[in-house]
């Protein structure tokens, strides 16, 4: 190339770079790159009267929800310690008018059985989380029952309720009689979700393990991450989830549900508080595992987390802003799509078998990406 042409090319490149550098390129915050920027739109409420019976059982205590696209129905786990079971539910969407109620129709009940085929004895399981795998199995978690020294567990079941396998749990999750270690009473494996591909399972405790609880310090929950497939499930990692502080006067505060949005580590999380004065507080967050420290094997978290990076989250919706009475909302699932193709989000309430409180389900339209 002649020397003059070479220098002209160089000058042209410099001018082009300068022009591009001076353009007003859109500024993207680091936080925006972490999340899918999910938005939700409230679409209505469903309600099932307290005391509704199915095959001689009271439909209540529904603390977890999952959707079966093949059967076009939902499965809801009941936390009745006397008879661990799940229900098949048909949930109809409210009309376009957001104040119109849809319907909850219980279809059947299935009792959980142990590996030997026997029903679970009373007060040995407190089932809270449920998720359906692509191959038609149910992942279910139990908080355990302190009164009978029944340990918490995470297990896989067939759709007929038969237990098929139990997943490994780190020893530091198992409660001790001293109360100095492990899952605290009624604050165990509450949140459970599967990735859309079904090869990853995530299970979270409702509140801090005993050894991670410190006065006047933030509360950090732990999340377990499993790999599942043709072989036995393998525990891959553990992450720390920062729980929002509870309002003054609250007597309950916890992480009650997780919902995987994709196979890339993006989730919805649901937190619940309760105070006798103000009732239930429910917040919906978007959560990302990006950059979170793997704490698997760390029996006790350092005070203040030291250099550990917890999962990141951002508030999507404080449900109190909906202006409707809220009950003890604990379960969450994506369901069938709206007419425009957007996904429906269903959040279900655990009425604690209170004869005065119906089972509440709230429906949202979800948009993201």
């Amino acid at each position: 190339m002649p020397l003059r042409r070479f220098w002209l090319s160089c000058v042209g490149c410099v001018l082009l770079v300068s022009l591009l550098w001076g353009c007003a390129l859109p500024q993207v915050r680091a936080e925006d790159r972490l999340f899918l920027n999910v938005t939700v739109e409230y679409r209505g409420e469903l309600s099932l009267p307290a005391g509704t019976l199915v095959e001689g059982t009271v439909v209540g205590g529904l603390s977890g929800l999952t959707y079966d696209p093949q059967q076009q129905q939902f499965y809801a786990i009941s936390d009745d310690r006397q008879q661990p079971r799940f229900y098949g539910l048909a949930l109809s969407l409210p009309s376009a008018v957001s104040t119109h109620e849809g319907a909850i129709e219980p279809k059947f009940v299935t009792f959980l059985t142990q590996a030997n085929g026997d029903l679970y004895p009373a007060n040995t399981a407190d089932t809270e989380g449920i998720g359906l795998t692509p191959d038609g199995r149910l992942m279910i978690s139990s908080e355990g029952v302190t009164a009978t020294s029944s340990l918490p567990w995470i297990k896989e079941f067939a759709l007929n309720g038969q237990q098929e396998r139990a997943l490994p749990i780190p020893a530091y999750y198992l409660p001790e009689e001293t109360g100095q270690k492990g899952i605290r009473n009624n604050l165990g494996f509450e949140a459970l979700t599967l990735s859309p591909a079904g090869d990853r399972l995530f299970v979270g405790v409702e509140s801090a393990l005993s050894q991670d609880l410190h006065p006047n310090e933030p509360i950090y929950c732990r999340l377990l991450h499993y790999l599942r497939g043709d072989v036995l499930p393998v525990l891959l990692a553990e992450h720390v989830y920062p729980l929002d502080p509870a309002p003054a006067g609250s007597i309950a505060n916890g992480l009650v549900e997780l919902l995987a949005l994709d196979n890339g580590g993006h989730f919805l999380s649901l937190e619940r508080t309760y105070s006798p004065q103000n009732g239930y507080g429910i917040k919906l967050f978007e959560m990302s595992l990006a950059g979170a420290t793997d704490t698997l094997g760390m029996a006790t978290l350092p005070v203040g987390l030291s250099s550990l990076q917890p999962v990141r989250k951002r508030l999507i919706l404080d449900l109190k802003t909906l202006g409707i009475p809220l009950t003890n909302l604990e379960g969450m699932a994506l369901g069938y799509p709206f007419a425009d193709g957007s996904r429906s989000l269903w959040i279900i309430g655990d009425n604690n078998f209170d004869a005065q409180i119906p089972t509440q389900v709230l429906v949202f339209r979800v948009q993201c990406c």
Side-chain angles (χ1 to χ4, degrees):
M1 174 186 295
L3 184 60
R4 184 171 180 273
R5 186 181 301 173
F6 170 77
W7 285 111
L8 287 174
S9 298
C10 290
V11 171
C13 289
V14 170
L15 291 174
L16 178 60
V17 170
S18 300
L19 180 63
L20 292 174
W21 186 265
C23 290
L25 296 176
Q27 299 298 308
V28 180
R29 298 181 304 164
E31 180 182 274
D32 293 334
R33 292 193 293 268
L34 285 173
F35 301 110
L36 299 178
N37 295 319
V38 175
T39 60
V40 295
E41 174 191 353
Y42 177 59
R43 295 306 304 270
E45 179 180 11
L46 291 68
S47 183
L48 182 72
T52 298
L53 295 176
V54 172
E55 299 178 31
T57 67
V58 176
V59 181
L62 304 184
S63 58
L65 190 68
T66 190
Y67 180 63
D68 185 342
Q70 300 299 320
Q71 301 298 322
Q72 296 186 354
Q73 64 187 2
F74 292 83
Y75 304 121
I77 190 74
S78 173
D79 65 1
D80 184 358
R81 296 183 178 186
Q82 303 303 307
Q83 294 179 306
R85 61 189 183 272
F86 67 90
Y87 291 92
L89 302 179
L91 304 180
S92 64
L93 288 168
S95 71
V97 180
S98 63
T99 56
H100 176 76
E101 291 192 356
I104 304 174
E105 182 184 358
K107 308 295 287 187
F108 60 86
V109 61
T110 300
F111 296 97
L112 300 184
T113 57
Q114 302 174 80
N116 62 5
D118 293 340
L119 293 172
Y120 280 85
N123 294 308
T124 60
D126 184 0
T127 47
E128 298 285 349
I130 186 170
L132 180 69
T133 70
D135 57 350
R137 290 174 170 80
L138 291 171
M139 307 303 302
I140 296 176
S141 62
S142 168
E143 292 189 307
V145 181
T146 302
T148 58
S149 300
S150 299
L151 297 176
W153 49 251
I154 305 165
K155 295 179 179 179
E156 185 173 312
F157 293 82
L159 283 176
N160 64 4
Q162 174 74 44
Q163 176 188 323
E164 295 188 340
R165 66 178 74 174
L167 277 63
I169 296 171
Y172 51 87
Y173 278 72
L174 304 181
E176 292 183 343
E177 292 184 3
T178 62
Q180 301 302 305
K181 189 195 81 170
I183 287 174
R184 294 180 289 150
N185 184 44
N186 207 33
L187 294 171
F189 294 128
E190 182 84 24
L192 183 152
T193 187
L194 286 145
S195 62
D199 62 336
R200 305 300 175 105
L201 171 71
F202 302 88
V203 185
V205 292
E206 185 173 344
S207 189
L209 302 182
S210 293
Q211 65 267 31
D212 298 333
L213 195 63
H214 305 285
N216 303 316
E217 288 287 334
I219 294 176
Y220 294 100
C221 308
R222 300 211 195 198
L223 312 179
L224 293 176
H225 174 186
Y226 293 88
L227 174 68
R228 62 174 304 278
D230 296 332
V231 297
L232 293 176
V234 176
L235 182 54
L236 286 184
E238 176 192 71
H239 300 293
V240 177
Y241 179 97
L243 196 63
D244 264 23
S250 296
I251 59 175
N253 181 27
L255 170 68
V256 293
E257 191 62 292
L258 293 169
L259 181 60
L261 294 172
D262 61 12
N263 299 308
H266 298 99
F267 302 80
L268 297 180
S269 65
L270 195 67
E271 297 183 20
R272 176 211 56 208
T273 61
Y274 177 76
S275 72
Q277 296 79 18
N278 300 314
Y280 288 101
I282 311 292
K283 291 182 178 180
L284 181 67
F285 296 86
E286 183 179 359
M287 185 192 93
S288 172
L289 295 182
T293 304
D294 181 1
T295 56
L296 185 61
M298 190 176 293
T300 302
L301 298 175
V303 178
L305 290 193
S306 184
S307 61
L308 302 182
Q309 175 63 57
V311 303
R312 293 174 172 88
K313 66 179 187 180
R314 71 173 187 91
L315 181 66
I316 296 176
L317 178 66
D318 183 341
L319 272 65
K320 277 192 175 295
T321 63
L322 297 178
I324 61 174
L326 299 175
T327 63
N328 183 29
L329 298 171
E330 289 193 352
M332 186 164 57
L334 292 173
Y336 46 84
F338 285 93
D340 65 358
S342 59
R343 296 298 299 274
S344 58
L345 173 68
W346 307 73
I347 302 179
I348 196 167
D350 173 357
N351 71 345
N352 294 311
F353 294 96
D354 189 318
Q356 305 302 315
I357 300 176
T359 293
Q360 180 184 43
V361 175
L362 303 184
V363 189
F364 299 83
R365 180 197 304 274
V366 180
Q367 293 180 315
C368 69
C369 315

